[in-house]
């Protein structure tokens, strides 16, 4: 046994209390879907986890109707303060059930338990906690006094951070006073359905949150439903384009969080050991299933060989395997389809002259696996330098001058993320100014926080999630034309009532005080 | 014997120069009472593409200029407009058939809006950006940056104030603009370009096309080097098709506005042409 060999340390799945079959969560209740069910499996073992309902167009309509009714009758009439209290409840319930959610996430998605336990689920709780506090402070969101909610939000999320993406969508939407219909990805519906249980435990009014499962057709029916006021989508650029096209001419407000081909730039004055850790975090975190991954490494030419050498040594210590094992660094690829795409693009990378290298590692015989892979000698024109691979595959290019690094980093239709590694602060700030990307990490990578806006330039989408910008995505100024004048006036009345004490006797006193 | 007037040739404004349309086409501009006023250039697809190239090459310099500098350049435009006030009033009276007082009110409003927007150039970042208190040892700052090349279909029912209301806010953050002027009332737009060329605005920062918006807009909406499309004055066009074309490159698109409040001055018109950039920097653990 070498120092890198550990005994297995799997997280127990005993604390999971899963149903064998899950329905659609509409109007506060689980109901059967109308379309044929499908199975969700563990990508690490290909074993069946649960049977999942599929929402037909009729089910989508029922969910939107439930959300509309909840918006009209309860949620838009509730004070911001009370909306916030519900969100605080949800944040606490997520914390209480954190271990269970982490295990379920790693089981269904294939990501290492140390990531779901230490990154995904804590951020989910943080997201709800952050936006809970916003619910009664909307006047400070940057849209002037008494901004109004949009109405019903249709939200479609990807499979890479299933519960975290749900939190990014639902928390700001509810804080702003909207109701939601959310569709999780087909391959990772499990934690969204556990979240539906949390919604029930929190006592949220029926219909405020609706979770419908299904494939692309369900998502299409949802975003195109005529009674939806807001669409928020995270996923591929091609689907984002399709949504932007289909929403043309409607008044639906749209947020798109799409693909990326992030450049991670390492200058020769960078702290190399930290940069190597950052490179690993940039592309092998979550098996590279990250839209903001640092998938293009740009290394200054004079340190190229040294960085590659140290990176190879570091990759040799990555442990690939059982996502539920606490020592695992890199888990399973989420689906057979995604594995196929990663293999195909990697083969193209080789065919186009890239030099492929992976550490020696034994991959499990069942499930979907891909060893951490780096490509050197990659041309800027190569597919693996241009296309989003969405897997643990790093393309390494070199540069000589900062100007060349900036030109190469910006040479992409995407513009989501970038990294800069240097010990010289003035250089970092100058380079950060010139990179056309929405999130820039200097001497770090893949950091997320509910207070920090996240989103892309160019074909990486539009709108921001996180921060007050993420809240504004679910609001409209009070003065803007409203589809429903009645609901706007109700919303502003409830904001006013939130600013005075809640009980009626005290509010009488407050108003008397105001007359003096 | 009265003096015979010298008439002006109205051309396009692209990259700081006044070319005719490469297509050689012109169209008749008539007064409100139907009299011939001028032959305006009828811009073609090639002219639109040339304008985008000019806007793209001017972007780097204009977006890198300091807010204080851009503010002064924009203010200078208002100064020059004020100096040519009488010319614009005459032009609007003959083109729109309104009273001199109404024309003067339009010119004054246009000048005042330039000044209002000029003042935002060194302030919008403070209002729209913010420091973010994240849970970790990081310095974290969000700032709005210009989106890039903005194509604008100017409001079609006014000579000057609509054009100014659409163009000025896009310039504040450092975007460059290709604007299609009012088809029926294009003469003030070309006179405005004479103001721009003698101000301190670098060539290519504003490019003005006259002609048929219905013909030119589709080429701009489908142009991969256009980053944002403001359809504020496109209400009578098939703007849904323009939105669909723009989706191909995920261009930022803003819907037509109608009525008296169309393109009303607001900070939102400045920030809609910006992208929020968030920079994280590690703090050492002392």
């Amino acid at each position: 046994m070498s120092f890198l060999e550990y005994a297995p340390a799997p997280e127990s799945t005993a604390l999971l209390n899963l149903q064998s079959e899950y329905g659609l969560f509409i109007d506060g209740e689980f109901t059967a879907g109308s379309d044929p069910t499908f199975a969700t499996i563990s990508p690490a073992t290909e074993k069946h986890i649960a049977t999942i309902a599929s929402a037909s167009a009729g089910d989508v309509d029922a969910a939107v109707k439930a959300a509309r009714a909840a918006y009209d009758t309860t949620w838009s009439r509730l004070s911001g303060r009370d909306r916030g209290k519900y969100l605080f409840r949800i944040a606490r319930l997520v914390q209480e059930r954190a271990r269970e959610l982490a295990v379920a996430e790693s089981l269904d998605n294939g990501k290492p338990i140390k990531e779901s336990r230490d990154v995904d689920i804590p951020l989910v709780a943080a997201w709800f906690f952050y936006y809970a506090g916003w619910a009664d402070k909307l006047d400070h969101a940057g849209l002037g006094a008494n901004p109004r909610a949009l109405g019903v939000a249709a939200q479609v999320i990807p499979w890479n951070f299933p519960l975290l993406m749900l939190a990014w969508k639902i928390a700001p939407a509810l804080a702003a006073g909207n109701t939601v219909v959310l569709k999780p990805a087909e391959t990772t519906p499990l934690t969204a359905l556990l979240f539906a249980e949390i919604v029930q435990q929190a006592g949220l009014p029926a219909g405020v949150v609706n979770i419908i499962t299904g494939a692309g057709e369900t998502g299409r029916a949802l975003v195109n439903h005529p009674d939806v006021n807001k669409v928020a989508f995270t996923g591929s650029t091609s689907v984002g384009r399709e949504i932007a096209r289909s929403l043309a001419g409607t008044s639906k407000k749209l947020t798109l969080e799409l693909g990326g081909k992030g450049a991670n730039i390492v200058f020769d004055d960078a702290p190399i050991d930290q940069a190597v850790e950052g490179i690993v975090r940039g592309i092998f975190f979550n098996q590279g299933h990250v839209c903001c991954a640092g998938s293009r490494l740009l290394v200054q030419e004079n340190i190229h060989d040294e960085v590659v050498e140290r990176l190879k040594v570091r990759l040799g210590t990555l442990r690939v395997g059982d996502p539920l094992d606490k020592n695992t660094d890199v888990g399973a690829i989420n689906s057979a389809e995604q594995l196929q795409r990663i293999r195909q693009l990697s083969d193209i990378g080789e065919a186009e002259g890239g030099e492929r290298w992976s550490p020696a590692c034994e991959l499990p015989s069942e499930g979907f696996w891909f060893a951490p892979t780096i490509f050197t000698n990659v041309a800027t024109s190569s597919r693996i330098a241009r296309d989003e691979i969405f897997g643990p595959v790093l393309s390494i290019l070199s540069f000589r001058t900062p100007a060349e690094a900036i030109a190469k980093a910006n040479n992409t239709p995407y513009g989501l993320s970038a990294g800069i590694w240097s010990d010289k602060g003035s250089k970092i700030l100058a380079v950060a100014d010139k990179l056309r990307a929405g999130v820039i990490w200097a001497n770090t990578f893949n950091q997320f926080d509910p207070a920090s806006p996240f989103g892309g330039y160019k074909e990486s989408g539009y709108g921001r999630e996180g921060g007050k910008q993420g809240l504004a995505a679910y609001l409209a100024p009070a003065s803007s034309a409203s589809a429903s004048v009645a609901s706007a006036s109700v919303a502003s009345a409830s904001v006013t009532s939130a600013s005075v004490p809640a009980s009626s006797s005290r509010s009488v006193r407050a108003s008397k005080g105001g007359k003096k | 014997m009265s003096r015979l007037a010298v008439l002006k040739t109205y051309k396009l404004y692209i990259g700081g120069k006044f070319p005719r349309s490469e297509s050689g086409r012109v169209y008749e501009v008539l007064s409100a009472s139907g009299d011939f006023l001028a032959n305006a250039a009828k811009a073609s697809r090639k002219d639109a593409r040339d304008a985008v190239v000019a806007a793209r090459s001017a972007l780097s310099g204009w977006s890198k200029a300091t807010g204080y500098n851009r503010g002064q350049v924009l203010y200078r435009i208002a100064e020059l407009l004020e100096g040519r006030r009488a010319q614009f009033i005459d032009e609007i009276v003959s083109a729109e058939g309104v009273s001199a007082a109404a024309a003067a009110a339009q010119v004054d409003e246009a000048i005042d809006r330039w000044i209002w927007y000029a003042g935002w150039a060194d302030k919008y970042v403070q209002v729209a950006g913010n420091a973010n208190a994240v849970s970790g040892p990081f310095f974290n700052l969000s700032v709005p940056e210009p989106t890039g090349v903005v194509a604008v279909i100017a409001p079609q029912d006014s000579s000057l104030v609509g054009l100014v209301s659409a163009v000025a806010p896009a310039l504040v953050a450092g975007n460059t603009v290709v604007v299609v002027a009012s088809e029926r009332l294009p003469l003030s737009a070309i006179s405005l370009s004479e103001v721009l060329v003698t101000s301190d605005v670098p060539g290519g920062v504003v490019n003005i096309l006259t002609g048929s918006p219905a013909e030119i807009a589709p080429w701009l909406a489908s142009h991969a080097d256009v980053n944002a499309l403001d359809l504020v004055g496109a209400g009578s066009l098939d703007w849904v098709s323009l939105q669909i074309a723009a989706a191909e490159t995920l261009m930022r698109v803003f819907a037509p506005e109608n009525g008296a409040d169309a393109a009303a001055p607001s900070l939102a018109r400045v920030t809609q042409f910006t992208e929020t950039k968030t920079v994280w920097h590690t703090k050492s653990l002392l």
Side-chain angles (χ1 to χ4, degrees):
Chain A
M1 201 184 231
S2 85
F3 82 103
L4 283 175
E5 288 175 47
Y6 297 86
E11 185 72 60
S12 170
T13 55
L15 80 173
L16 288 181
N17 184 22
L18 299 178
Q19 317 289 318
S20 62
E21 192 163 341
Y22 284 91
L24 311 171
F25 184 67
I26 296 175
D27 208 16
E29 302 288 340
F30 282 98
T31 61
S34 308
D35 280 0
T37 58
F38 60 98
T40 188
I41 61 164
S42 160
T45 58
E46 297 175 61
K47 283 191 181 133
H48 178 92
I49 301 172
T51 300
I52 307 293
S54 187
S56 67
D59 297 328
V60 169
D61 186 52
V64 172
K65 279 201 171 85
R68 173 63 60 193
Y71 179 76
D72 287 343
T73 60
T74 57
W75 201 242
S76 67
R77 292 161 192 263
L78 209 60
S79 68
R81 178 177 291 182
D82 283 348
R83 285 202 312 274
K85 284 185 196 165
Y86 278 118
L87 291 171
F88 281 125
R89 277 191 194 176
I90 291 172
R92 286 304 200 210
L93 285 161
V94 168
Q95 288 174 330
E96 285 160 16
R97 296 177 63 172
R99 183 59 57 94
E100 176 196 354
L101 292 168
V103 172
E105 196 75 302
S106 283
L107 185 67
D108 199 26
N109 166 280
K111 66 173 64 200
I113 186 74
K114 72 171 188 186
E115 290 179 10
S116 52
R117 182 194 63 199
D118 298 344
V119 181
D120 290 56
I121 308 304
L123 276 173
V124 170
W127 231 271
F128 278 100
F129 203 89
Y130 174 82
Y131 279 108
W134 265 118
D136 55 1
K137 302 170 189 69
L138 300 182
D139 285 0
H140 302 279
L143 292 95
N146 301 324
R148 59 179 181 84
L150 301 170
V152 175
Q155 308 177 316
V156 178
I157 58 171
W159 44 260
N160 57 342
F161 295 93
L163 193 62
L164 183 55
M165 290 300 105
L166 174 148
W168 283 31
K169 297 281 178 288
I170 292 184
L174 297 193
N178 305 275
T179 57
V180 306
V181 180
L182 176 135
K183 187 192 92 70
E186 191 181 1
T187 60
T188 55
L190 194 60
T191 46
L193 295 161
L194 295 182
F195 181 80
E197 295 175 5
I198 287 177
V199 165
Q200 288 178 323
Q201 288 180 339
L204 203 67
V208 171
V209 169
N210 304 275
I211 311 270
I212 55 170
T213 45
E217 204 48 54
T218 304
R220 211 166 279 132
L222 176 57
V223 302
N224 291 324
H225 192 288
D227 201 28
V228 156
N229 305 102
K230 163 80 188 184
V231 173
F233 170 77
T234 297
S236 73
T237 290
S238 61
V239 175
R241 272 196 194 100
E242 183 190 325
I243 292 174
R245 267 195 296 268
S246 67
L247 262 55
T250 71
S251 59
K252 294 174 189 174
K253 195 165 172 174
L254 177 60
T255 301
L256 294 173
E257 211 74 81
L258 308 176
K261 192 70 188 175
N264 203 355
I265 305 170
V266 182
F267 287 103
D268 62 3
D269 53 6
I272 302 289
D273 285 337
Q274 289 166 45
V276 167
E277 287 307 307
I279 294 163
V280 170
R281 186 184 174 102
I283 186 63
F284 301 115
F285 174 67
N286 203 31
Q287 297 74 246
H289 299 329
V290 185
C291 47
C292 54
S295 52
R296 284 185 300 153
L297 178 63
L298 302 177
V299 191
Q300 199 148 17
E301 199 176 75
N302 54 332
I303 56 163
H304 174 273
D305 293 353
E306 182 191 357
V307 168
V308 171
E309 209 43 54
R310 289 214 223 174
L311 186 59
K312 286 180 175 174
V313 172
R314 178 67 180 87
L315 294 194
T317 68
L318 287 181
R319 299 171 59 83
V320 184
D322 182 5
L324 291 174
D325 192 307
K326 293 166 205 166
N327 293 319
T328 292
D329 298 306
V330 179
I333 301 304
N334 183 252
S335 66
E337 186 190 356
Q338 186 58 26
L339 179 60
Q340 175 60 28
R341 176 173 166 80
I342 297 168
R343 282 181 174 155
Q344 190 190 2
L345 277 165
S346 298
D347 291 347
I348 291 172
E350 243 178 314
E352 290 184 340
E355 284 170 34
R356 179 175 182 165
W357 182 89
S358 290
C361 63
E362 217 172 289
L363 299 177
S365 53
E366 282 168 347
F368 316 126
W369 301 92
F370 197 88
T373 299
I374 62 174
F375 277 93
T376 49
N377 200 26
V378 176
T380 46
S381 58
S382 176
R383 284 278 301 278
I384 56 168
R386 293 186 291 125
D387 289 9
E388 181 174 47
I389 298 172
F390 223 65
V393 180
L394 178 67
S395 302
I396 305 179
L397 299 90
S398 65
F399 67 90
R400 288 185 180 173
T401 64
E404 186 187 352
I406 291 160
K408 282 185 167 165
N410 288 338
N411 182 18
T412 166
Y414 295 116
L416 190 50
S417 71
I420 308 169
W421 295 85
S422 165
D423 254 350
K424 199 165 171 59
S426 55
K427 185 190 283 180
I428 286 172
L429 293 176
V431 173
D433 270 355
K434 294 180 173 67
L435 293 174
R436 300 289 291 162
V439 187
I440 292 170
W441 288 292
N443 292 333
T444 183
F445 212 97
N446 275 344
Q447 299 287 349
F448 308 98
D449 194 281
S452 181
F454 179 96
Y457 284 35
K458 301 194 280 183
E459 294 188 18
S460 290
Y462 33 76
R464 291 292 176 269
E465 293 183 293
K468 69 174 183 181
Q469 287 84 350
L471 188 68
Y474 287 93
L475 289 168
S479 60
S480 63
S482 166
S484 162
V485 176
S487 67
S489 63
V490 168
S492 62
S494 62
V495 170
T496 314
S497 72
S499 63
V500 298
S503 87
S504 58
S505 64
R506 283 161 70 196
S507 61
V508 169
R509 254 184 280 144
S511 65
K512 277 182 183 167
K515 283 179 187 169
K516 281 177 187 168
Chain B
M1 201 168 93
S2 66
R3 179 176 173 274
L4 186 66
V6 178
L7 297 178
K8 182 160 85 185
T9 306
Y10 290 88
K11 297 191 283 188
L12 306 174
Y13 181 57
I14 298 174
K17 296 192 162 57
F18 293 96
R20 292 189 168 84
S21 170
E22 61 79 35
S23 64
R25 300 177 306 170
V26 293
Y27 70 106
E28 285 190 0
V29 178
L30 305 178
S31 72
S33 52
D35 299 329
F36 173 82
L37 288 178
N39 284 314
K42 189 171 186 189
S44 65
R45 173 176 80 151
K46 176 74 162 61
D47 295 319
R49 295 167 71 108
D50 288 347
V52 172
V53 170
R56 174 61 58 186
S57 21
L59 181 64
S60 160
W62 183 243
S63 62
K64 266 189 234 142
T66 63
Y68 178 43
N69 184 217
R70 274 200 308 277
Q72 289 181 88
V73 170
L74 294 175
Y75 181 78
R76 174 83 176 148
I77 296 168
E79 288 180 343
L80 297 183
L81 268 174
E82 184 87 20
R84 292 206 191 201
R85 195 168 165 276
Q87 175 198 341
F88 279 100
I89 291 171
D90 287 350
E91 222 163 44
I92 290 170
V93 166
S94 58
E96 298 189 17
V98 294
S99 70
Q106 183 179 159
V107 176
D108 291 347
E109 180 63 21
I111 295 169
D112 291 354
R113 285 188 185 184
W114 266 118
I115 292 174
W116 190 78
Y117 279 118
W120 272 117
D122 54 3
K123 298 168 194 69
Y124 80 97
V125 175
Q126 271 182 320
V127 177
N130 35 263
N132 308 311
V134 296
S135 316
F138 298 99
F139 177 73
N140 186 300
L141 205 65
S142 292
V143 291
E145 291 193 339
T147 298
V149 174
V150 177
V152 180
I153 309 302
Q156 296 291 302
D157 49 7
S158 84
S159 297
L160 186 64
V161 74
L163 181 76
V164 165
S165 304
V167 171
L171 297 177
V172 169
N175 299 286
T176 56
V177 171
V178 175
V179 58
V180 184
S182 166
E183 184 171 18
R184 183 170 59 85
L185 305 165
L187 301 189
S188 294
I190 294 305
S191 296
L192 178 68
S193 65
E194 292 164 4
V195 168
L196 296 173
V197 82
T198 52
S199 73
D200 301 321
V201 186
V205 170
V206 183
N207 303 277
I208 300 178
L209 303 174
T210 53
S212 159
E215 180 193 337
I216 303 166
W219 302 119
L220 294 172
S222 62
H223 198 302
D225 217 17
V226 171
N227 301 103
L229 177 64
D230 189 356
L231 296 173
V232 59
S236 61
L237 305 184
D238 177 10
W239 57 272
V240 176
S241 295
L242 297 175
Q243 282 197 334
I244 291 170
E248 190 55 32
T249 59
L250 292 160
M251 190 180 286
R252 285 81 175 115
V253 186
F254 303 97
E257 294 178 27
N258 298 304
D261 274 352
S266 73
L267 178 60
R269 287 202 75 81
V270 174
T271 55
Q272 74 182 6
F273 302 111
T274 64
E275 309 287 322
T276 298
K277 176 187 277 181
T278 298
V279 180
W280 296 64
H281 196 297
T282 43
K283 288 179 184 171
S284 68
L285 298 168
L286 298 175

